[in-house]
Amino acid sequence: MIQPENQILVIFGASGDLTKRKLIPAIFDLAKQNLLPDKFAIIGVGRTKLDDFNFRKKMNADLYKYGDASPEDKNLVDQFCEKLYYQALNTSDLEEYSLLKEKINLLLKELSIPANIIFYLSTPPSLYEIIPENLAKTGLNNSNKNSGWKRLIVEKPFGTDLESAKKLNRSLLNFFNENQIYRIDHYLGKETVQNVLVTRFANGIFEPLWNRNFIDRVEITSSESIGVEGRGGYYDHSGVLRDMVQNHLLQIVGLIAMEPPVEISPLSIRNETMKVFQSLRSLKVEDVKKNVIRAQYVSSTIKGEKVPGYRDEEGVSDNSRTETFVAMKFFIDNWRWSGVPFLIRVGKRLPTRVTEVVVHFKKTPHTLFRNISSADHQQNQLVIRIQPDEGLLLKFGTKVPGAGFQVQDVNMDFHYSDLNNTHLPSAYERLLLDCMLGDSTLYARGDAVEVAWEFVQPILDVWKKDCEVPLYGYPAGTWGPNDEVKGLLDDAGKDWRYPCKNLSNDGEYCEL
Ligand code: BG6
């Protein structure tokens, strides 16, 4: 494994949730595997007044709370925390950046390393333009052989619509080059998402079938059983379309649908994803009305416990029209996928936590075994389980032993957990390491982000005129407005895959 060059990581938003829950635990895991540079330091930047000592103390405790650290790791945790520093800063105030510059210079001198620096923006998005500008004005964006490289990681959300995403791109490009900008989409860091590429392009058996001749439809489900978990204030201005579809799920579509890349490199992979996004059929008003279903969870009882509705959540308006569920059908107009429906179903407060891609293969061209009941044997399915219980499942028909030719579905099932001694890195672990190594393959490119926004923008536009399409209410713990969602499949005999049954029987869905 190549080790990253010596460097410093500066995290803006260091007193926030992401830092303690994901970033620091991910970097600690890298430390445990000896994957960090020999000389390395992290400077946390935040508004909260803290010094190095107290930041270390806090992160030390948080590593046990949110990370993988166990009491046996005490020495490692203590050593790791020695690499942490803190700079209190009002990020909107240009003058204060000299404090950061001083701190960085001091550390560079102490470590005696070139100024290789990653700046990680984990702040509210309203600061995504101002921080890079202030870094530039303080001379902290210069990247060259003598002064070391500079990279900028930008967390999601990347804009709230097409216009704002374009504006943000333009603004970032004033101060950093495209090859310095790493737009994070943590789904691309998931091992199983990357495994889509390996499944497709390292095996001879799947790719020949991977097209309109053999695939009936592709279904992507991303269901969460939790609600908005105290993030109501953010979520009520976002909704699941912006929160999950525009970024994470379209990135999965990109990997499922792309042509074989020339090589595994940032340029080739991202060019191929871009071509998929460019081939997404634009949604007209009629398509949005017919093929995009939106819904919001309402209160229900799950396993005897009352679960609040979305509008009862803190930070959510009493008459909110924000969607917590979306199901949609769309097409990719290119040679490979012409006429194959792609289906997405995503939401909060659904019956279980699961993200999976289901590739439904076409039926055999001729039915030989006439007494097959559709309940026993369906179309062949390849299920790519992204989380949890990561793995691959192939469903196919086999003969029931005994007289006649009864067919029933059986599974060939691979679970990552069956691999011995394999550490499944967290998404942030993988992505942070890639950025430290200067590999942007699994980061979103600016133009692709814009094209993804271009695709979802017509949906936002139609929904803005609120009365045009219904907003359904679904009892928390159910699969959403199921009749409507099933209606997206053009054949009554077809259905979605349900990884688990409804958990709540509290009434039907209704229009809100
Ligand atoms: C985030 C969304 O990007 O992804 C959250 O903002 C969502 O609303 C989360 O819960 C899901 O990520 P994961 O990795 O738990 O599937």
Side-chain angles (χ1 to χ4, degrees), residues 231-258:
R231 294 164 71 223
Y234 148 75
Y235 200 87
D236 212 28
H237 293 105
S238 167
V240 75
L241 187 77
R242 290 183 172 97
D243 191 48
M244 294 290 291
V245 178
Q246 184 275 338
N247 36 61
H248 306 326
L249 302 188
L250 284 183
Q251 289 294 345
I252 295 178
V253 171
L255 297 178
I256 291 286
M258 68 162 58

mmCIF file of all heavy atoms in Angstrom, residues 231-258:
data_model
loop_
_atom_site.group_PDB
_atom_site.id
_atom_site.type_symbol
_atom_site.label_atom_id
_atom_site.label_comp_id
_atom_site.label_asym_id
_atom_site.label_seq_id
_atom_site.Cartn_x
_atom_site.Cartn_y
_atom_site.Cartn_z
ATOM 1 N N ARG A 231 -32.432 16.625 12.752
ATOM 2 C CA ARG A 231 -31.935 17.473 11.651
ATOM 3 C C ARG A 231 -33.092 18.129 10.900
ATOM 4 O O ARG A 231 -32.958 18.507 9.740
ATOM 5 C CB ARG A 231 -31.123 16.632 10.674
ATOM 6 C CG ARG A 231 -29.841 16.072 11.271
ATOM 7 C CD ARG A 231 -29.310 14.964 10.408
ATOM 8 N NE ARG A 231 -28.759 15.425 9.137
ATOM 9 C CZ ARG A 231 -28.965 14.823 7.963
ATOM 10 N NH1 ARG A 231 -29.735 13.749 7.882
ATOM 11 N NH2 ARG A 231 -28.427 15.285 6.873
ATOM 12 N N GLY A 232 -34.246 18.232 11.593
ATOM 13 C CA GLY A 232 -35.451 18.758 10.943
ATOM 14 C C GLY A 232 -35.234 20.113 10.281
ATOM 15 O O GLY A 232 -35.745 20.375 9.198
ATOM 16 N N GLY A 233 -34.464 20.978 10.950
ATOM 17 C CA GLY A 233 -34.230 22.331 10.429
ATOM 18 C C GLY A 233 -33.606 22.288 9.055
ATOM 19 O O GLY A 233 -34.026 22.991 8.128
ATOM 20 N N TYR A 234 -32.575 21.429 8.895
ATOM 21 C CA TYR A 234 -31.930 21.276 7.578
ATOM 22 C C TYR A 234 -32.869 20.557 6.616
ATOM 23 O O TYR A 234 -33.108 20.986 5.493
ATOM 24 C CB TYR A 234 -30.618 20.493 7.738
ATOM 25 C CG TYR A 234 -30.268 19.629 6.529
ATOM 26 C CD1 TYR A 234 -29.771 20.217 5.359
ATOM 27 C CD2 TYR A 234 -30.467 18.251 6.544
ATOM 28 C CE1 TYR A 234 -29.481 19.432 4.244
ATOM 29 C CE2 TYR A 234 -30.173 17.471 5.435
ATOM 30 C CZ TYR A 234 -29.685 18.069 4.285
ATOM 31 O OH TYR A 234 -29.413 17.303 3.192
ATOM 32 N N TYR A 235 -33.431 19.451 7.097
ATOM 33 C CA TYR A 235 -34.148 18.542 6.195
ATOM 34 C C TYR A 235 -35.391 19.198 5.590
ATOM 35 O O TYR A 235 -35.740 18.955 4.438
ATOM 36 C CB TYR A 235 -34.555 17.283 6.972
ATOM 37 C CG TYR A 235 -34.852 16.116 6.079
ATOM 38 C CD1 TYR A 235 -33.834 15.265 5.672
ATOM 39 C CD2 TYR A 235 -36.138 15.867 5.610
ATOM 40 C CE1 TYR A 235 -34.074 14.199 4.833
ATOM 41 C CE2 TYR A 235 -36.401 14.803 4.771
ATOM 42 C CZ TYR A 235 -35.364 13.976 4.387
ATOM 43 O OH TYR A 235 -35.612 12.921 3.550
ATOM 44 N N ASP A 236 -36.030 20.053 6.399
ATOM 45 C CA ASP A 236 -37.277 20.652 5.910
ATOM 46 C C ASP A 236 -37.022 21.568 4.709
ATOM 47 O O ASP A 236 -37.932 21.849 3.938
ATOM 48 C CB ASP A 236 -37.973 21.410 7.040
ATOM 49 C CG ASP A 236 -39.486 21.357 6.877
ATOM 50 O OD1 ASP A 236 -39.980 20.366 6.286
ATOM 51 O OD2 ASP A 236 -40.167 22.303 7.312
ATOM 52 N N HIS A 237 -35.770 22.027 4.556
ATOM 53 C CA HIS A 237 -35.440 22.832 3.377
ATOM 54 C C HIS A 237 -34.828 21.981 2.280
ATOM 55 O O HIS A 237 -34.471 22.475 1.227
ATOM 56 C CB HIS A 237 -34.456 23.949 3.747
ATOM 57 C CG HIS A 237 -35.092 24.950 4.651
ATOM 58 N ND1 HIS A 237 -34.815 25.022 5.995
ATOM 59 C CD2 HIS A 237 -36.032 25.884 4.400
ATOM 60 C CE1 HIS A 237 -35.556 25.965 6.537
ATOM 61 N NE2 HIS A 237 -36.305 26.507 5.592
ATOM 62 N N SER A 238 -34.664 20.703 2.577
ATOM 63 C CA SER A 238 -34.002 19.846 1.605
ATOM 64 C C SER A 238 -34.994 18.838 1.026
ATOM 65 O O SER A 238 -35.407 18.943 -0.130
ATOM 66 C CB SER A 238 -32.834 19.150 2.312
ATOM 67 O OG SER A 238 -32.348 18.110 1.536
ATOM 68 N N GLY A 239 -35.397 17.864 1.846
ATOM 69 C CA GLY A 239 -36.252 16.788 1.337
ATOM 70 C C GLY A 239 -35.369 15.709 0.739
ATOM 71 O O GLY A 239 -34.177 15.934 0.446
ATOM 72 N N VAL A 240 -35.964 14.542 0.533
ATOM 73 C CA VAL A 240 -35.148 13.392 0.166
ATOM 74 C C VAL A 240 -34.602 13.482 -1.262
ATOM 75 O O VAL A 240 -33.552 12.934 -1.576
ATOM 76 C CB VAL A 240 -35.932 12.079 0.415
ATOM 77 C CG1 VAL A 240 -36.999 11.836 -0.619
ATOM 78 C CG2 VAL A 240 -34.993 10.886 0.481
ATOM 79 N N LEU A 241 -35.274 14.229 -2.112
ATOM 80 C CA LEU A 241 -34.779 14.352 -3.490
ATOM 81 C C LEU A 241 -33.396 15.009 -3.498
ATOM 82 O O LEU A 241 -32.463 14.525 -4.132
ATOM 83 C CB LEU A 241 -35.763 15.178 -4.329
ATOM 84 C CG LEU A 241 -35.427 15.228 -5.809
ATOM 85 C CD1 LEU A 241 -35.819 13.925 -6.492
ATOM 86 C CD2 LEU A 241 -36.151 16.384 -6.506
ATOM 87 N N ARG A 242 -33.292 16.101 -2.752
ATOM 88 C CA ARG A 242 -31.985 16.790 -2.687
ATOM 89 C C ARG A 242 -31.010 16.015 -1.803
ATOM 90 O O ARG A 242 -29.819 15.962 -2.084
ATOM 91 C CB ARG A 242 -32.148 18.190 -2.088
ATOM 92 C CG ARG A 242 -32.883 19.182 -2.972
ATOM 93 C CD ARG A 242 -32.885 20.537 -2.260
ATOM 94 N NE ARG A 242 -33.389 21.602 -3.081
ATOM 95 C CZ ARG A 242 -34.635 22.052 -3.053
ATOM 96 N NH1 ARG A 242 -35.523 21.488 -2.247
ATOM 97 N NH2 ARG A 242 -35.009 23.052 -3.824
ATOM 98 N N ASP A 243 -31.538 15.455 -0.726
ATOM 99 C CA ASP A 243 -30.677 14.841 0.287
ATOM 100 C C ASP A 243 -30.045 13.533 -0.203
ATOM 101 O O ASP A 243 -28.916 13.214 0.157
ATOM 102 C CB ASP A 243 -31.522 14.578 1.550
ATOM 103 C CG ASP A 243 -30.688 14.192 2.760
ATOM 104 O OD1 ASP A 243 -29.691 14.882 3.026
ATOM 105 O OD2 ASP A 243 -31.015 13.192 3.432
ATOM 106 N N MET A 244 -30.771 12.781 -1.005
ATOM 107 C CA MET A 244 -30.297 11.438 -1.371
ATOM 108 C C MET A 244 -30.253 11.180 -2.881
ATOM 109 O O MET A 244 -29.355 10.507 -3.370
ATOM 110 C CB MET A 244 -31.208 10.367 -0.743
ATOM 111 C CG MET A 244 -31.189 10.276 0.759
ATOM 112 S SD MET A 244 -29.652 9.627 1.448
ATOM 113 C CE MET A 244 -29.677 7.925 0.933
ATOM 114 N N VAL A 245 -31.259 11.667 -3.603
ATOM 115 C CA VAL A 245 -31.372 11.255 -5.011
ATOM 116 C C VAL A 245 -30.339 11.967 -5.886
ATOM 117 O O VAL A 245 -29.594 11.329 -6.631
ATOM 118 C CB VAL A 245 -32.803 11.498 -5.568
ATOM 119 C CG1 VAL A 245 -32.869 11.113 -7.042
ATOM 120 C CG2 VAL A 245 -33.827 10.713 -4.763
ATOM 121 N N GLN A 246 -30.295 13.305 -5.766
ATOM 122 C CA GLN A 246 -29.421 14.085 -6.662
ATOM 123 C C GLN A 246 -27.962 13.641 -6.565
ATOM 124 O O GLN A 246 -27.223 13.718 -7.532
ATOM 125 C CB GLN A 246 -29.554 15.589 -6.315
ATOM 126 C CG GLN A 246 -28.774 16.510 -7.218
ATOM 127 C CD GLN A 246 -27.324 16.671 -6.786
ATOM 128 O OE1 GLN A 246 -26.981 16.444 -5.616
ATOM 129 N NE2 GLN A 246 -26.460 17.062 -7.720
ATOM 130 N N ASN A 247 -27.576 13.150 -5.404
ATOM 131 C CA ASN A 247 -26.162 12.815 -5.209
ATOM 132 C C ASN A 247 -25.955 11.308 -5.094
ATOM 133 O O ASN A 247 -25.576 10.652 -6.068
ATOM 134 C CB ASN A 247 -25.645 13.548 -3.967
ATOM 135 C CG ASN A 247 -26.740 13.628 -2.892
ATOM 136 O OD1 ASN A 247 -27.220 12.619 -2.406
ATOM 137 N ND2 ASN A 247 -27.160 14.840 -2.568
ATOM 138 N N HIS A 248 -26.235 10.746 -3.906
ATOM 139 C CA HIS A 248 -25.860 9.354 -3.635
ATOM 140 C C HIS A 248 -26.461 8.381 -4.657
ATOM 141 O O HIS A 248 -25.763 7.530 -5.206
ATOM 142 C CB HIS A 248 -26.330 8.921 -2.245
ATOM 143 C CG HIS A 248 -25.879 9.821 -1.134
ATOM 144 N ND1 HIS A 248 -24.671 10.458 -1.144
ATOM 145 C CD2 HIS A 248 -26.468 10.185 0.033
ATOM 146 C CE1 HIS A 248 -24.538 11.166 -0.032
ATOM 147 N NE2 HIS A 248 -25.620 11.021 0.691
ATOM 148 N N LEU A 249 -27.762 8.508 -4.903
ATOM 149 C CA LEU A 249 -28.405 7.470 -5.715
ATOM 150 C C LEU A 249 -28.070 7.631 -7.196
ATOM 151 O O LEU A 249 -27.901 6.648 -7.915
ATOM 152 C CB LEU A 249 -29.912 7.442 -5.456
ATOM 153 C CG LEU A 249 -30.250 7.188 -3.977
ATOM 154 C CD1 LEU A 249 -31.744 6.974 -3.762
ATOM 155 C CD2 LEU A 249 -29.506 5.976 -3.422
ATOM 156 N N LEU A 250 -27.927 8.877 -7.636
ATOM 157 C CA LEU A 250 -27.518 9.045 -9.043
ATOM 158 C C LEU A 250 -26.078 8.573 -9.250
ATOM 159 O O LEU A 250 -25.734 8.059 -10.315
ATOM 160 C CB LEU A 250 -27.686 10.496 -9.496
ATOM 161 C CG LEU A 250 -29.137 10.912 -9.780
ATOM 162 C CD1 LEU A 250 -29.189 12.351 -10.301
ATOM 163 C CD2 LEU A 250 -29.829 9.987 -10.783
ATOM 164 N N GLN A 251 -25.256 8.705 -8.228
ATOM 165 C CA GLN A 251 -23.882 8.181 -8.371
ATOM 166 C C GLN A 251 -23.923 6.661 -8.535
ATOM 167 O O GLN A 251 -23.165 6.090 -9.313
ATOM 168 C CB GLN A 251 -23.021 8.547 -7.148
ATOM 169 C CG GLN A 251 -22.655 10.022 -7.051
ATOM 170 C CD GLN A 251 -21.731 10.490 -8.177
ATOM 171 O OE1 GLN A 251 -21.127 9.694 -8.886
ATOM 172 N NE2 GLN A 251 -21.635 11.802 -8.356
ATOM 173 N N ILE A 252 -24.836 6.022 -7.814
ATOM 174 C CA ILE A 252 -24.965 4.558 -7.971
ATOM 175 C C ILE A 252 -25.446 4.242 -9.383
ATOM 176 O O ILE A 252 -24.925 3.344 -10.050
ATOM 177 C CB ILE A 252 -25.930 3.972 -6.915
ATOM 178 C CG1 ILE A 252 -25.344 4.154 -5.514
ATOM 179 C CG2 ILE A 252 -26.201 2.489 -7.183
ATOM 180 C CD1 ILE A 252 -26.220 3.647 -4.382
ATOM 181 N N VAL A 253 -26.425 5.009 -9.855
ATOM 182 C CA VAL A 253 -26.896 4.816 -11.236
ATOM 183 C C VAL A 253 -25.723 4.935 -12.202
ATOM 184 O O VAL A 253 -25.557 4.134 -13.128
ATOM 185 C CB VAL A 253 -28.002 5.849 -11.589
ATOM 186 C CG1 VAL A 253 -28.341 5.803 -13.073
ATOM 187 C CG2 VAL A 253 -29.256 5.619 -10.753
ATOM 188 N N GLY A 254 -24.868 5.917 -11.951
ATOM 189 C CA GLY A 254 -23.704 6.139 -12.818
ATOM 190 C C GLY A 254 -22.838 4.883 -12.922
ATOM 191 O O GLY A 254 -22.429 4.489 -14.018
ATOM 192 N N LEU A 255 -22.592 4.235 -11.784
ATOM 193 C CA LEU A 255 -21.717 3.057 -11.790
ATOM 194 C C LEU A 255 -22.416 1.836 -12.391
ATOM 195 O O LEU A 255 -21.795 1.022 -13.078
ATOM 196 C CB LEU A 255 -21.253 2.726 -10.366
ATOM 197 C CG LEU A 255 -20.399 3.803 -9.683
ATOM 198 C CD1 LEU A 255 -20.051 3.384 -8.269
ATOM 199 C CD2 LEU A 255 -19.126 4.069 -10.472
ATOM 200 N N ILE A 256 -23.710 1.728 -12.148
ATOM 201 C CA ILE A 256 -24.458 0.587 -12.688
ATOM 202 C C ILE A 256 -24.552 0.693 -14.212
ATOM 203 O O ILE A 256 -24.496 -0.304 -14.927
ATOM 204 C CB ILE A 256 -25.903 0.556 -12.093
ATOM 205 C CG1 ILE A 256 -25.865 0.198 -10.614
ATOM 206 C CG2 ILE A 256 -26.828 -0.377 -12.864
ATOM 207 C CD1 ILE A 256 -25.568 -1.257 -10.323
ATOM 208 N N ALA A 257 -24.706 1.927 -14.695
ATOM 209 C CA ALA A 257 -25.051 2.088 -16.109
ATOM 210 C C ALA A 257 -23.863 2.422 -17.001
ATOM 211 O O ALA A 257 -23.981 2.381 -18.226
ATOM 212 C CB ALA A 257 -26.117 3.181 -16.242
ATOM 213 N N MET A 258 -22.693 2.731 -16.419
ATOM 214 C CA MET A 258 -21.594 3.250 -17.251
ATOM 215 C C MET A 258 -21.054 2.200 -18.233
ATOM 216 O O MET A 258 -21.195 0.999 -18.036
ATOM 217 C CB MET A 258 -20.446 3.767 -16.384
ATOM 218 C CG MET A 258 -19.722 2.686 -15.640
ATOM 219 S SD MET A 258 -18.089 3.184 -15.024
ATOM 220 C CE MET A 258 -18.438 4.561 -14.000
#
